[in-house]
Amino acid sequence: NAGVMQNPRHLVRRRGQEARLRCSPMKGHSHVYWYRQLPEEGLKFMVYLQKENIIDESGMPKERFSAEFPKEGPSILRIQQVVRGDSAAYFCASSPQLASLQETQYFGPGTRLLVL
Amino acid sequence: DAKTTQPNSMESNEEEPVHLPCNHSTISGTDYIHWYRQLPSQGPEYVIHGLTSNVNNRMASLAIAEDRKSSTLILHRATLRDAAVYYCILRDVEAGGTSYGKLTFGQGTILTVHP
């Protein structure tokens, strides 16, 4: 029973390039969350998606960042025209179909993005 | 989400119990108390959660004060693998009912376990 999978685990981009981070939730999970952890800082919520829907994007930067969770395939966090300040660890989490105050989120190992 | 306060760091010796405190004086009646931990270079990991009663699972115990303004995560016998940052998180339903999806992480407590 595979856990949450993220790829790539490490990603190096030059300023101005695009970064695509992928997240495959646990089997049977239809809720996906993305979090960002900047160096020496805590984890910050970015976006919450269900299949084909963005539920809460209150933590997403207004520009250059987008997320999707299509009917088929992994969730994608896309960062256009990356800047050095985007360098961080990006974690994806998933939870089962019924989201509630008791539900547990299962986290992936993260993607470490380095922008040169 | 309501705010929590945790000590920045704590230390323990291997095989000894560890009590990690969390203050949440502004907790509301519907807030659940969740604990996650993050081992070095890994994603966060769920530990335990509760509402009013004390809770036990294979990883830890959660003791909740009667007034719910504080709680304590208890690791009964710390191991080197328990060295991590421990986060105490309150989960509630904000206006609109959608924000219970997100976890709001504070700075957490860095637990160091000595051999």
Side-chain angles (χ1 to χ4, degrees), chain A residues 46-113:
Chain A
M46 298 182 75
V47 63
Y48 164 31
L49 309 104
Q50 294 178 19
K51 286 283 187 180
E52 300 184 282
N53 286 305
I54 296 175
I55 306 302
D56 181 359
E57 56 181 347
S58 59
M60 286 281 271
K62 299 301 180 189
E63 298 177 347
R64 302 187 297 109
F65 284 72
S66 62
E68 62 176 5
F69 188 17
K71 186 176 181 180
E72 301 291 337
S75 175
I76 305 289
L77 179 68
R78 182 183 179 203
I79 311 172
Q80 295 179 290
Q81 299 176 318
V82 296
V83 300
R84 289 209 174 108
D86 296 332
S87 296
Y90 292 82
F91 293 97
C92 167
S94 72
S95 66
Q97 188 167 3
L98 180 61
S100 72
L101 294 176
Q102 296 195 63
E103 54 92 14
T104 298
Q105 292 187 15
Y106 298 84
F107 283 80
T111 294
R112 272 99 184 140
L113 172 66

Side-chain angles (χ1 to χ4, degrees), chain A residues 9 33 35 37 40-45 48 55-56 58 91 99-105 107-109 112, chain B residues 30 32 34 36 38 41-46 49 87 91-93 98-107:
Chain A
R9 295 290 304 276
Y33 315 83
Y35 296 83
Q37 189 167 33
E40 308 304 323
E41 293 190 20
L43 287 141
K44 302 295 184 187
F45 166 79
Y48 164 31
I55 306 302
D56 181 359
S58 59
F91 293 97
S100 72
L101 294 176
Q102 296 195 63
E103 54 92 14
T104 298
Q105 292 187 15
F107 283 80
R112 272 99 184 140
Chain B
T30 56
Y32 277 81
H34 287 247
Y36 282 74
Q38 186 175 21
S41 300
Q42 294 188 28
E45 174 186 33
Y46 167 80
H49 78 276
Y87 298 99
R91 305 197 68 192
D92 63 356
V93 177
T98 60
S99 63
Y100 58 71
K102 68 180 179 183
L103 295 173
T104 301
F105 291 85
Q107 292 303 307

Side-chain angles (χ1 to χ4, degrees), chain B:
Chain B
D1 288 334
K3 185 176 174 59
T4 62
T5 304
Q6 299 177 250
N8 289 333
S9 62
M10 292 186 66
E11 297 187 17
S12 173
N13 294 318
E14 204 174 8
E15 302 294 315
E16 291 183 354
V18 181
H19 291 235
L20 297 164
C22 180
N23 287 320
H24 29 78
S25 58
T26 59
I27 192 170
S28 72
T30 56
D31 287 343
Y32 277 81
I33 303 160
H34 287 247
W35 285 81
Y36 282 74
R37 70 180 185 181
Q38 186 175 21
L39 278 64
S41 300
Q42 294 188 28
E45 174 186 33
Y46 167 80
V47 178
I48 200 167
H49 78 276
L51 182 61
T52 56
S53 304
N54 294 344
V55 184
N56 300 294
N57 65 21
R58 63 175 181 81
M59 291 181 68
S61 295
L62 177 60
I64 301 173
E66 195 168 336
D67 63 4
R68 302 211 325 126
K69 294 184 184 300
S70 65
S71 61
T72 302
L73 179 70
I74 302 167
L75 307 179
H76 295 284
R77 292 180 65 189
T79 69
L80 296 178
R81 194 194 173 278
D82 291 321
V85 181
Y86 286 79
Y87 298 99
C88 171
I89 299 168
L90 300 185
R91 305 197 68 192
D92 63 356
V93 177
E94 294 179 8
T98 60
S99 63
Y100 58 71
K102 68 180 179 183
L103 295 173
T104 301
F105 291 85
Q107 292 303 307
T109 297
I110 301 171
L111 175 65
T112 302
V113 180
H114 300 288

